[in-house]
Amino acid sequence: GMMSVWLYYTVLIFCCYQSAAETYDVFEENGKKGLKDEQGHIIIPPKYEALGWSDGSMSVINKVTGYKSNGLWGIIDLEDHHITKATYFSLIPGEGDLLIAVKRSSLSFRLITGCIDTSGKEIIPFAYDGITLHDFRLVVSVKSGTQYKYGLLDVENKTLIPVEHKAIERIGALRYSVKDFEGKCSLFTENGKQLTAFTFDDIHPFKKNHAVIVKDGKQGIIDR
């Protein structure tokens, strides 16, 4: 009746995800997930715990997506070929063809974070406790004792700001506030060029081309 038609369309809207021009539909059978193409053909049989990414999102990047098997994630193509084994604790899209992945260290029980591309190739080594990616720059962190140290890399794994700072915060397009372990901030570019000394107590995010700076309880303004 009317109710079931309405429900069907609601479910359809929730299950359809855009990828360029093509739409893919995640469906479920006996508690397992599969994927159908726009014509309703089954392209990945319903045999996975989840399809998409570990943050619950679904997208197809370079004709691949994520799959979950035995509680772990891997990359699968749209013809049900496993591009990687399911070895990752989490797998989420970054930018371009980069995926941020978390796996168990082979040396210890620690979870380590790195980046792979959509072909499964390791691009950023699994050497970090956290990675945040924006505008093709990665703020990475490493736990050292009880403290975290932060640095900045580009997507080719080049170190732009060494991983030895108390905090790194993006405060506008192409600008970062970097804090040392004395708690003082300095302004850096996205290429790791230091523009000021470590003299400020805080640098607020840029609004257009200016940012409020704080030093000894007083405020000032800095340009880019």
Side-chain angles (χ1 to χ4, degrees):
M2 217 34 229
M3 191 62 186
S4 61
V5 169
W6 181 82
L7 268 172
Y8 172 77
Y9 277 111
T10 311
V11 169
L12 206 65
I13 289 161
F14 276 106
C15 293
C16 288
Y17 303 96
Q18 237 13 69
S19 165
E22 292 183 76
T23 308
Y24 299 97
D25 181 12
V26 176
F27 71 100
E28 189 171 326
E29 239 172 64
N30 302 324
K32 297 285 189 190
K33 303 286 200 303
L35 200 65
K36 290 178 181 173
D37 67 12
E38 247 171 318
Q39 288 74 42
H41 302 134
I42 293 174
I43 52 176
I44 298 179
K47 57 183 184 185
Y48 299 103
E49 287 157 37
L51 287 169
W53 309 106
S54 60
D55 60 2
S57 67
M58 167 70 200
S59 60
V60 172
I61 306 163
N62 292 349
K63 297 200 159 80
V64 305
T65 191
Y67 73 99
K68 188 181 187 185
S69 185
N70 295 323
L72 295 172
W73 291 85
I75 306 173
I76 194 169
D77 73 12
L78 298 182
E79 290 163 355
D80 194 26
H81 301 129
H82 294 180
I83 307 297
T84 73
K85 290 182 173 146
T87 53
Y88 301 104
F89 278 73
S90 75
L91 196 58
I92 58 167
E95 292 175 342
D97 62 355
L98 276 193
L99 307 170
I100 300 174
V102 175
K103 69 179 184 180
R104 179 84 72 204
S105 165
S106 53
L107 306 171
S108 65
F109 287 117
R110 204 172 127 231
L111 290 180
I112 45 175
T113 306
C115 290
I116 57 177
D117 68 13
T118 48
S119 70
K121 183 171 166 238
E122 186 177 302
I123 304 297
I124 305 293
F126 285 83
Y128 302 102
D129 288 291
I131 291 178
T132 313
L133 178 59
H134 34 57
D135 288 346
F136 299 99
R137 293 290 180 267
L138 302 98
V139 174
V140 297
S141 63
V142 172
K143 196 172 183 194
S144 170
T146 56
Q147 285 177 322
Y148 284 91
K149 293 181 173 181
Y150 292 84
L152 189 73
L153 311 178
D154 69 12
V155 290
E156 269 88 54
N157 192 36
K158 183 177 161 215
T159 298
L160 303 172
I161 300 173
V163 187
E164 53 190 43
H165 297 89
K166 186 175 184 177
I168 295 182
E169 196 188 338
R170 185 170 181 252
I171 54 167
L174 318 179
R175 290 294 179 270
Y176 290 85
S177 168
V178 179
K179 188 177 275 191
D180 66 15
F181 278 95
E182 331 285 42
K184 297 292 182 190
C185 296
S186 167
L187 185 67
F188 278 71
T189 71
E190 86 286 7
N191 292 323
K193 183 170 186 247
Q194 187 175 347
L195 299 176
T196 70
F198 283 92
T199 59
F200 306 114
D201 298 317
D202 196 9
I203 308 173
H204 289 262
F206 277 90
K207 290 199 169 116
K208 294 193 172 145
N209 292 315
H210 296 94
V212 172
I213 46 174
V214 182
K215 189 176 177 180
D216 305 325
K218 301 278 204 293
Q219 294 195 342
I221 289 179
I222 195 172
D223 68 11
R224 285 183 161 281

